[in-house]
Amino acid sequence: KSEPKSALPAPAKTLRGSASLSVPHFPVTPQGTSKKAYYTKDRQVFKGDFLAEAWQLGNAEAEYRKALEKNPNNPGAHNGLGKVLFYKTTSSNQNIRNEQDGMLTEALQCFLTAIRLQPNYVEARINLGKVYQELNRPSDAMQQFEKAMGLNPNDSEALERYGSMLVEKQEYNKAIPILEKAIKIHSGN
């Protein structure tokens, strides 16, 4: 079972389409309504989220894997492990970069599992879209961003990523209002 918990503060974000993943930064809403993420009171998931944001990726991965050993059906642990694996693909460490394909594949599976367990998990859908972008699967990425926007029409990251992909496709008339909405939400105006 899940229970709302406070989201960790997120680092400042930009609307430049970076590949970084973030901890939820929108207000927590009750279970069953549109929300940024799945919330759990699982100590390992919470600790893993904190460690991931501090870029202690090895320790964060260990916490998520412990949580999955206890409960293989924990969507928060699957999403967290996927985030860590995705973060690692951006590492400057060549040994880690050499394992990039395997980490992307495992991250993809983690996000798919999190969504199977919690279909309304907005953050996992956005993260899955990012992996699809990295794997050069733009239509799959756009589909995930669209689904995330359907679950939470005010998620600035989903709007930003979808709008940026429309720009890449030169669909400017569609992209402009979406990106304007993302900027408005992101700036709090």
Side-chain angles (χ1 to χ4, degrees):
K1 301 274 176 171
S2 66
E3 256 179 41
K5 72 173 183 182
S6 297
L8 296 173
K13 292 179 61 183
T14 61
L15 291 175
R16 60 180 168 75
S18 70
S20 66
L21 302 171
S22 67
V23 169
H25 54 89
F26 292 98
V28 176
T29 56
Q31 179 77 15
T33 62
S34 293
K35 58 184 179 262
K36 177 78 174 169
Y38 171 85
Y39 295 92
T40 180
K41 61 181 182 177
D42 185 296
R43 183 178 174 95
Q44 266 90 30
V45 173
F46 181 77
K47 189 174 180 183
D49 290 344
F50 178 79
L51 292 167
E53 285 303 310
W55 282 90
Q56 294 181 21
L57 302 182
N59 293 333
E61 181 177 352
E63 292 300 323
Y64 294 129
R65 291 195 188 277
K66 284 181 201 173
L68 289 170
E69 283 176 22
K70 287 191 320 190
N71 179 4
N73 293 320
N74 184 327
H78 284 286
N79 185 62
L81 180 58
K83 285 193 303 186
V84 166
L85 294 168
F86 190 80
Y87 282 153
K88 284 183 173 184
T89 66
T90 65
S91 173
S92 60
N93 181 319
Q94 189 59 43
N95 292 332
I96 292 173
R97 298 276 304 160
N98 289 340
E99 300 172 18
Q100 181 178 21
D101 290 340
M103 284 187 275
L104 281 174
T105 301
E106 188 176 357
L108 178 80
Q109 290 306 312
C110 287
F111 297 134
L112 288 169
T113 300
I115 291 166
R116 180 180 53 78
L117 295 169
Q118 183 77 24
N120 294 333
Y121 197 162
V122 175
E123 182 184 12
R125 289 197 178 277
I126 293 169
N127 292 341
L128 178 60
K130 292 175 188 179
V131 172
Y132 282 143
Q133 281 182 299
E134 189 68 25
L135 294 171
N136 198 26
R137 293 172 56 182
S139 61
D140 291 328
M142 288 188 78
Q143 181 181 37
Q144 291 306 313
F145 299 142
E146 277 182 300
K147 287 180 180 181
M149 291 183 315
L151 293 167
N152 183 352
N154 293 317
D155 188 292
S156 65
E157 185 175 14
L159 291 162
E160 168 197 341
R161 289 191 171 277
Y162 186 74
S164 295
M165 292 190 78
L166 289 172
V167 168
E168 288 175 21
K169 293 173 62 176
Q170 299 181 352
E171 295 182 24
Y172 305 115
N173 290 335
K174 290 181 185 177
I176 290 171
I178 292 169
L179 291 171
E180 286 175 341
K181 182 177 179 179
I183 291 168
K184 183 177 179 181
I185 292 167
H186 186 77
S187 67
N189 293 326

